[in-house]
Amino acid sequence: MTAASMARPAAPALLLAALLAMAAPASAQGAPTPRALPAAQAEGQLPGQTQGAPGRSYKVTFRQLGAVFPMQLHGVQGSSGVQFGVRSDEVVTGARLHLNYAYSPALIPSLSHIRVLVNEQVVATIPVPNEQGGQNLQRVIDIPPRVIGEFNRLNIELIGHYTMECEDPAHSSLWANVGNDSVLELAVNPLALPNDLAFLPEPFFDRRDARQLVMPIVFARPPDAAQLEAAGTVSSWFGALAGFRGASFPTSIGQLPLRGHAVVLALGTGVQELGGLGLPTPTGPTITMATHPSDPASKVLVISGRDAAELKRAAASLALGSAALSGPSATIAAFKDTEPRQPYDAPNWLSRERPVKFGELVDADMLSVSGYSPDLIRVNFQVPPDLFGWRKRDIPVRLKYRYTARPAADKSTLNINVNQQFLRSLPLRAISHAKPSRIEGWLNQALPAGDLLPAEDLFKVPLFKLTARNQLQFHYYHDVVKEGACKDVLLDNVRGTVEPDSTIDITGFSHFMAMPDLAAFANSGFPFSRLADLSQTAVVLPARPEAADYSAYLLLMGLMGNVTGYPAHAATVALGTELLPQLADKDLLVLATGGNVQLLTQWADRLPFSLKEGAKGFRLSDYASHLFNWFDPDERDRVRRARSEIVFSSSSSDAVIAGLESPYQKGRSVVLLASHQAAGLQQAMDALLDPDLLKRIQGSAAVVRGKQVSSLLAEPAYYVGRLDPFTYVQWWLSRNPLSMVLLGVTGALLVGFLLYIALRARARARLRMQHK
């Protein structure tokens, strides 16, 4: 926040990535030449930033702020922008925008320009000289800190004209492009907050901050399995809060980071062993916010207890009841365990019990647009990855919408996409051509002239178009009718909405899928996320874990919370492999590093790879494997069976992610993350956080090499889920056509045999009648 905004109350919470400035992709940005900076700022110092001040500066790109594609500005007054926020524990002292842009060479410089606005206040006006038209340019713009608040909107607006005479306001020469690689740089000073749990999750997580959450977790002493379970609860809570940002958790033992916020987990007198905190020995499950001993502007969140059970209770109380806490410290007197979660009831997933309203998925104010070139209306949703669409292939959506009726019949439409794939187009009716239903007719009579025209439509989304994370996109296209020279004047008074009580419905779908499927694990945490609290999951770490193992485990728990939107407070942690037979009734998530590498030898006949000291082996697929499944359209696109094998020696720090059926119980799953080196394990974690690498993790085995991910195999070995008996028989026969033929022949023979016996008996009866 700025100094001017410190005294006023917090603004209503806005999702930083809710309004994405999406448009058609533009050409790649070139290498612009920045303008010269004053000598005082030549070293990267921002305006208002004092040399040697205790503050810091950071940069975020427009893409990080939600602009998935470059911004396209069209017309005489085209506008687009991004949102950004300022943390509650920081004060902005300087701001600078590094803007990458291009504009039409047909613009008239004396009448045209590009404006930069922050919170509707103009902070810069950029001229558009003809000699630079059509080039990739960069401009550095200093933004006054006084215009920046807690939640902010940065808009880029084109004021464009191409002729001194009558002009077409929608002419194709009126354009400008703003790259989503443009950078916003902020200089901030820390702001010390009081130690009060009522602020939680701030300052440890702040929804105003669009960057990835990096939260150090410190153990007072080397943790046992129970302490790791408590830490997993905390990291999954932060992961759920972080959402689209992602979260990572650097780990240390007995040592606080020198600067920044941190979380500490301690048993008994372990709190006192962390120098400088000055906290007493806990008398029960305790949650405390303390000042960082070496960084007074930062906080330490201490979770403690006299034993492991109390530590787990304190962690669960934090994750499930933080909204009720207050004061610098809270000792939990009683915490009632929540009811067991039911399969597929993750808060972030569509309910399978009832249709879900759009208003439950997105804020109602995000479902309205205005103007002739409006932004998209976006509705994000997640579905379980094991929806069975063999016979029921489409998800019904009942859409209710309202719009400004057209003055005459034209080509205006509401275009509907899912994940940027076109679904259908609905015409926007004109008043004179409207043929509403009886109910709509009553509404039209009740509404005064000029109000929005209601409409409704039922359409279906093909299941094969959906991924783990999906977005319905609604675009109002308003046709601009050409009336002739000097008559084309746009009255920008059109509006469109999608009603919050529109619904999407996945009820009636069965849950059944072929495994292993690493895409389901990487994108949805499946099958572990089937229960949102991970009560049927066991995470297996080496008997003597290292810091990299702790960090990887906490990152995985953060990913699970991110997927489900619920803390994984019921997951089981096992150190070493001795307890694996006792965990037969659980799905296993195994970090095969250190001592756990021996599992690769024990399960060698089940794994498509081998990692040994100095040698690596992989089974590989080839294109021929596709040809053997041409009759099965479901397998044809994804199955890549092993056709060859390679073994080689290498000192590289590769990591392997593999899935297999549990050796201990049929129908249970194992996901392995294996590497001989800590660097390899970190590469696998980075791939799970990188959207570009994440989509390459598929099949039953994937190798991660730095910024490269290769999916080697996709061999379906078993199935999870359940179908009703009749559907299962039908499905099984459809996948085994030879068996269906044999069954048909057998059935025909059986019917023929029965007919033969019946006719033979009838003939004998007739003969007896004749003899009598």
Side-chain angles (χ1 to χ4, degrees), residues 381-589:
F381 65 96
Q382 297 182 39
V383 297
D386 62 341
L387 291 183
F388 186 68
W390 181 57
R391 285 294 179 89
K392 186 178 180 181
R393 295 180 177 271
D394 300 326
I395 294 177
V397 177
R398 184 167 296 279
L399 177 67
K400 299 178 182 179
Y401 59 103
R402 293 184 300 141
Y403 58 90
T404 302
R406 305 299 297 155
D410 56 19
K411 299 179 181 179
S412 299
T413 57
L414 172 61
N415 302 313
I416 305 173
N417 298 332
V418 63
N419 299 332
Q420 301 176 36
Q421 301 177 69
F422 178 76
L423 287 179
R424 65 182 306 167
S425 180
L426 304 175
L428 302 183
R429 302 195 309 265
I431 296 176
S432 59
H433 292 75
K435 295 181 180 180
S437 65
R438 180 179 299 178
I439 295 177
E440 290 176 343
W442 293 340
L443 289 174
N444 291 342
Q445 294 176 11
L447 293 174
D451 278 10
L452 302 183
L453 187 66
E456 186 172 334
D457 184 67
L458 176 65
F459 66 92
K460 295 186 177 181
V461 180
L463 192 58
F464 71 87
K465 290 181 177 288
L466 300 184
T467 60
R469 299 169 187 256
N470 306 278
Q471 187 179 85
L472 279 171
Q473 299 149 341
F474 302 92
H475 177 240
Y476 278 97
Y477 166 73
H478 299 284
D479 189 22
V480 178
V481 180
K482 305 295 184 181
E483 298 183 1
C486 299
K487 296 182 180 180
D488 293 334
V489 178
L490 290 181
L491 296 178
D492 205 3
N493 60 351
V494 293
R495 293 183 294 157
T497 70
V498 170
E499 296 300 291
D501 58 345
S502 302
T503 59
I504 182 170
D505 186 4
I506 64 168
T507 60
F509 278 91
S510 299
H511 294 269
F512 189 76
M513 75 178 298
M515 296 287 282
D517 189 335
L518 291 181
F521 164 72
N523 291 280
S524 298
F526 193 82
F528 311 105
S529 55
R530 178 176 169 270
L531 287 164
D533 60 1
L534 269 62
S535 56
Q536 294 185 4
T537 295
V539 185
V540 184
L541 278 70
R544 294 182 178 84
E546 299 178 357
D549 299 310
Y550 294 135
S551 296
Y553 158 69
L554 295 175
L555 186 145
L556 289 171
M557 292 299 98
L559 289 175
M560 295 300 170
N562 184 292
V563 166
T564 64
Y566 190 81
H569 64 87
T572 301
V573 173
L575 297 179
T577 60
E578 292 77 9
L579 297 178
L580 285 182
Q582 302 176 28
L583 302 173
D585 61 338
K586 295 182 180 292
D587 297 308
L588 303 179
L589 181 55

Side-chain angles (χ1 to χ4, degrees), residues 579-638:
L579 297 178
L580 285 182
Q582 302 176 28
L583 302 173
D585 61 338
K586 295 182 180 292
D587 297 308
L588 303 179
L589 181 55
V590 182
L591 296 180
T593 60
N596 281 0
V597 175
Q598 62 180 333
L599 287 175
L600 304 184
T601 303
Q602 296 178 18
W603 298 344
D605 58 332
R606 299 172 178 267
L607 293 173
F609 70 94
S610 63
L611 291 181
K612 300 178 181 178
E613 289 295 337
K616 304 175 183 179
F618 298 96
R619 285 190 289 168
L620 307 173
S621 66
D622 58 21
Y623 182 74
S625 63
H626 293 261
L627 303 180
F628 292 99
N629 295 293
W630 61 270
F631 57 84
D632 187 341
D634 292 328
E635 284 197 352
R636 179 182 60 198
D637 294 332
R638 67 172 183 265

